[in-house]
Each structure stands twice: as C-alpha cells, then as structure tokens.
Amino acid sequence: MIANPYQLPLDQTGSVTTPKGFRAAGIAAGIKASGNPDLALVVNDGPSFDAAAVFTSNRIFAAPVAWSRGVTADGYVKAVVLNSGGANACTGPDGLRDAIKTATAVAGEIDAAVMDVAVCSTGLIGVRLPMDKLLPGVSAAAAALSADGGADAARAIMTTDTVPKTASYTSPDGWSIGGMAKGAGMLAPALATMLVVITTDAQVRPLALDKALRAATVVSFDRVDSDGCQSTNDTVICLANGASGMQPLPDEFVQALSAVCADLGLQLLADAEGAAHDIAIHVTGAATESDALEVGRSIARNNLFKCAIFGNDPNWGRVLAALGTTTAVYDPDQLDVSFNGVMVYRQGALGEDRSNVDLTPRTVEIVVDLHAGSHQATIWTNDLTYDYVKENAEYSS
Amino acid sequence: MIANPYQLPLDQTGSVTTPKGFRAAGIAAGIKASGNPDLALVVNDGPSFDAAAVFTSNRIFAAPVAWSRGVTADGYVKAVVLNSGGANACTGPDGLRDAIKTATAVAGEIDAAVMDVAVCSTGLIGVRLPMDKLLPGVSAAAAALSADGGADAARAIMTTDTVPKTASYTSPDGWSIGGMAKGAGMLAPALATMLVVITTDAQVRPLALDKALRAATVVSFDRVDSDGCQSTNDTVICLANGASGMQPLPDEFVQALSAVCADLGLQLLADAEGAAHDIAIHVTGAATESDALEVGRSIARNNLFKCAIFGNDPNWGRVLAALGTTTAVYDPDQLDVSFNGVMVYRQGALGEDRSNVDLTPRTVEIVVDLHAGSHQATIWTNDLTYDYVKENAEYSS
C-alpha cells in the first residue's frame, strides 16, 4: 500500500464505533443473492448530531443521493443506513420512494425524524431494491446495534471489495475520528460506488465540519483516480457528536480528518479490482496547484501509461505525451521525470538508463518536475490490467 | 467495418498515386529490425504545389512535426518523406537536425528546396533515427518513385498496422483524391502515430485547401477516438497539383475530401490493435454540436463502457454515468439510449429488455437522444480488451 502522506498515528482496526457515542451494525438482509452481509446502520447517540456530506458530482445520480442531499443539507443527521446489493440508481420515482421508505423504517426503529436519516446504496444500476427483504433487515440491524459494531458495518457495505476498510485516529486530547469505506476507488466493476461514513466524538459545529470535510476529501478521495469513471452513488458522510467533550483546533481537526480520509482512500486503491500496481504520481515544481492536479490526472487517466506500468515498463514517453495534452505551465526543455527514484528524463532530454528502474514492486512512485513554480500535488491511481478488463467485461450489470 | 456516412463511391484500392501527377515509393531502408518496408516518399510533379496540413495538438511534439509545421506554413510542398521504425520524438536538438537532414536528402534527389519537403516519422519515442540507414534509403526511394507506387508507400508507413490503408475518390468531372493512412487511431501501442497523406489533382488554392482539410479532418479523424490518447507525431498532409485541369466547387471538394478522410479513419478504427468491436456513438437531439461531441467523447473514453462492450453487455448504466459527467444540456427524464437498434432506456426509465440486444457483431451502434435540440454528432471508438492491454503492456518503447 502507498504510504499515507500524513504523519499521524492511525489504527486500521479502528472504525466508526471507535469515537464515543456511536453504535453500528451490519447484517445479512437477503438483498445479496450470496447471503453475505448487505445492510449496515450507523447511529449517532449524541449529545450533538452535527453532520456534513459530499456527494458524486455526476449529474445522473441515484435516488439515495437525491434523498441524502436533502437530509444532510441542514447539518443535522442521526443515522446513516447503507445497503450493498443494489445501487437504486436510474430507478425513477419508485426508486426515490424506496429510499424514503428505508429512511422511514430506520427513523421508526431509533426514534428519529425521517429527515434525519441518510441513505446510501451500492451495487447494480437500474434495478429496484427488494424492499420486502430490506425493510425487515432494517429492524434486524437496529436490534443488532452495538458500540463495537463498526467492523460488522464495514463488512456489510462491501461489494467487490475483498477486505473491509476501516481506520481511526485518536488524539492525545481524547477525541477521535473513525471511518469506514467501500468500493475500489472509481475502478471497480459496474461503477462500484465509493461509500464512506466517518464519525467523530470531537465537538465540531456543522459549518466547520462541512469546511473540514471538503478540505479533507479534496486532498484524499478526490485524488484517488483509478480509472476516471465517476459513480452515480459516491457519498462521504461525516457525523460529529461532541461526546468526548473536546473541541480540537480547526487545523488540527482538518489534519486528522485528512489523514483518516487519505488512509481509507489508499485502502480503496490497494483493493482496486484487477490492479497489479498502486501508483502515486507526484507533480512538483508547478506554477499552481491546479496545474499540478491537471498534469497528475492527465497521466493517471492515460490508458497507454497505465498499460505500460502493468507491463513493468518505465515508459516516460507516455508520461510526456499525457503531459503534452494539458494546459499547465512548463518549458519542455526543463522537464524531469522519475520512475521509482530513477530520473529517466532530465531537463527535457534522456536521463538515467531506464533499465535501472525496477517496477516489480506493487507500489510505483512517479515524479514529474515541471520546474515552473513551487506548487505540487499527488494523484493516486492503478495500472490497467487484464483483470480490470475481465472484471468489467464479465460482470453484467 | 462501420459504414462510411458519406454517400460517395470510394475505391479502397486507390492511393496517393491515383490522382494524376504524383509519384510514390515505399522501400526497406533497414530502419526496422524486421527488414520490412520502412521508408515512403510521395512526390508532387505539379503543375501546382499547393498544400495544407494539420498536426497533433499535443504540446510535446516530435521533431518532424516541428519541421513540417514550418514547411507547410506557406502552403507550398513538393514532397513528403515518411519513415516507420522510429518516431524521432523527445530526441532534442539532435532529433530536429535528423529531420532536416532527411528533408535535405530528399530535396537533393528530386530537385526541390529543402523547405518544400515535409517529414513524418512513426515508431518508438525517445530513440534517435539510424541516419546511416535512412539517408541511403532516401536515394533508394527516389530511384523507385513511380506513378503507381502508392500501394508500396502505404505499406512502408505501417507499424503495428496489419493491413495498409488507402482510399480514393474519382469525380465524374475527372479530378480525383487519393490517400493513405497508418496507425490504429489513437489506440495502438506506444502512441502509434496517425500519419495521413492525401493527394489531389484538382485545382484548389492553398487557402481553400487548408479550409477544406480542416473541415474534413474535424468530422473524420478528430472523431475517431479509440482511447483518448494523443500522439506526439500525428500528421495529416494534403497535396494538390491541379493536374486534372478541373476546379471543383468548394462544397463538392470538401464533401469528397471528408469522405476519403472518413474512410481512412474507419479503416484505422477497424484495424485498431486488440479491438474486438468497432463502435459508433451517435448523439442526437443535442442543443449544440459541441454538446453532442462532448457527450460522444465522454462515452467513448469511459473504460467501464468500453469493457462492457467487449463483454457484449448492453450496459446502459455506464452510458448514463458517462453522460452525467458532461456539461451538455438535457433533462434526465427525457433521455433515450439504444444499443444496436434496441431502445433499452426510454424517457429516463427502463425501456426494452436488454436481452433483446445482440452485441456479437463487430459493429456496434449506440444512439443517445438528448431531446434537447436538433444537433447531432458521431464519435467512433473501440472496445477495451485483453489484447489492448497485452499489446500496450508488453510492447516496450
């Protein structure tokens, strides 16, 4: 796994129930034909019910996204219910009614208003959810809620994930952040959704929470760019209850939240279906951060580059060709490109011998120095492999 | 092969020597280790020497592109020399000197000024050309020039192409257009360059020729979008000598040139390495042509969609998710999507049963009706297959 750039101690055995005052559950409601767990519930027991959320920017978005945008708009959320086994996307007005019925069922179980229950779904597009199984599942999940149910919840939201993804950070001051995620970045089959729930017992007011969540996702999930494909269901929800009684400094909280988000993002990347390499593309010396991001994304989305990495080929020509399609500021005669520490292209000309590059490790670090300024950004991506094609060709959705 | 949308009689056995007053040759100079033909020469014998060209928009462009931009800028070109076996890209000042030496050698052989000789190269990036083989090859090619050498020239520019690509159109009025192309769209290994030379014996003045070539390429090569990757060497050069003595109407000439370009583009698509399907994405009912193009390209570049087609899966969800990332005008509740004539999504809801779609033929026609206006555009692309990954991972460049 690519190293987390944040120098904070994180615990991947922690989860959404690591912070005080949260309960969770994950059960098998029968939505998945496999009988695997498919329904998760995360409940905030207060004393505060602050919340923030970010959603897919795709204009074709699923019913639960439509519903949860409304729920989270006032910054007050008591619970999140998540199902795998069906995305409830492109299902029309009936699909929206199903999402509302799900929230209503949760509200009845935990004594909340229906408008305070967010809903997330992941799975196949264009198929109605089996409400006859989902609604009894909500009752079962509510009955199973526990203060150590975070791991079960993380397992119940898996689709093509091979492992559950959780992480937590505990501050020396006694507050903590816990999170769970599913999906393989944006690389997994059939637009496998990225769903993330993060909890914290720190005291953070809704507007500050919103600002912190946006700051953290911009430098974490937004920079995991497995295949440039954007889901209809992506959702990141953060719940804060203040149960620790501690109020972190804003910057301190943003750093911790960013670290947890980066860790979950890198776990998604490491479990991306069919990938053989995890790639960090560091763009340095950029005139602006926006230039650095544009260059990083253009390389990350270049199929020829991604195939080369799969073939363990330090193909700097494909990096340059991708760079050439951007609007970033640079002088072609000043560019440096390194693969795993070997500068194969230096000041716009041949550098060290490419045979010195070893791409057999799963982790690959590319550095592109534009020599045009002092800004930088890193994009994380995967290679393009036979297995990626296989999974996405054979998985009929 | 996808049907040419232009209703003009074309001849795929015609070539750059079909129009009067052009000679061509293709020989083996020893640039390719395989010993296959690797050097082509196309010479205009007049009486006019009008020319127009379009080049890659990649900001990282090869030495021959830098040279030929200058050569073609005055609309006066006597010959084009093309080599396969090396792209002469990212080779610095030495590479530019190699391109100029090649043009100089041709100029000496055919009695032209060096500034009237365009140069095109295709092959591996970042490697110098073997000038000790290339320059004698120029003499051999000049000696082999003939009025029926078009087929040889087309063969000598092949890299990973499995077949040479040529086409011609002959007007009832006696003028004609001939062309040759190489490359597999933008899909082939190692940024395999698209090189195209088109000749005509029609009388067309340089400015009109430039306008016609831009109009024709915009609706042909620009809409072949195999994998969204842009080469460092792409070049389309058109030479006009007026030898027929005929001056076609501007619209008539643009139509014929567009038809020849579309035919060559569709031949490139049909020979794209590793592809199992040729896909035409027709976007109709768009508010603007630009909207139609944006939607078509976003679908054509969506790896999940491309994998689905490889898997013979009429996955309309992936079409919608790609559409959702665009800025095009549409109402989600009005969208129609058809796969090979079966409307699987109608007015923003489930349409005909997807099991009625047969994606086993190589040719796939997708229609997306935005119901937002009267504009339309078609993008041609390929599917994403094991063989695409294999070719691009194993071919070390």
Side-chain angles (χ1 to χ4, degrees), chain A residues 58-60 190 230 303-304 307 311 315 318 320-321 324-326 328 330 354 384 386 388-390 392-393 396-397, chain B residues 58-60 190-191 230 303-304 307 311 315 318 320-321 324-326 328 330 354 384 386 389-390 392-393 396-397:
Chain A
N58 200 306
R59 290 166 66 198
I60 305 287
Q230 201 177 43
N303 280 352
L304 295 174
C307 286
N315 197 318
R318 296 180 186 178
L320 291 177
T325 65
T326 70
Y330 60 83
R354 49 188 282 154
L384 180 51
Y386 300 141
Y388 175 88
V389 175
K390 181 180 169 70
N392 288 295
S396 180
S397 63
Chain B
N58 200 305
R59 290 167 66 199
I60 304 288
L191 302 161
Q230 201 176 43
N303 280 351
L304 295 173
C307 287
N315 196 320
R318 296 180 186 178
L320 291 176
T325 66
T326 70
Y330 60 82
R354 48 187 284 153
L384 180 51
Y386 300 140
V389 175
K390 181 180 170 69
N392 289 295
S396 181
S397 63

Side-chain angles (χ1 to χ4, degrees), chain B residues 58-114:
Chain B
N58 200 305
R59 290 167 66 199
I60 304 288
F61 50 84
V65 169
W67 170 253
S68 298
R69 274 206 175 101
V71 167
T72 56
D74 65 356
Y76 188 94
V77 174
K78 285 201 163 170
V80 184
V81 58
L82 312 94
N83 75 274
S84 51
N88 196 8
C90 302
T91 45
D94 290 337
L96 186 56
R97 276 191 283 272
D98 290 342
I100 298 171
K101 281 182 197 164
T102 306
T104 305
V106 171
E109 295 286 347
I110 63 161
D111 189 26
V114 60

Side-chain angles (χ1 to χ4, degrees), chain B residues 279-294:
Chain B
I279 310 169
I281 302 170
H282 307 287
V283 181
T284 63
T288 63
E289 186 179 21
S290 161
D291 271 10
L293 285 169
E294 185 191 359

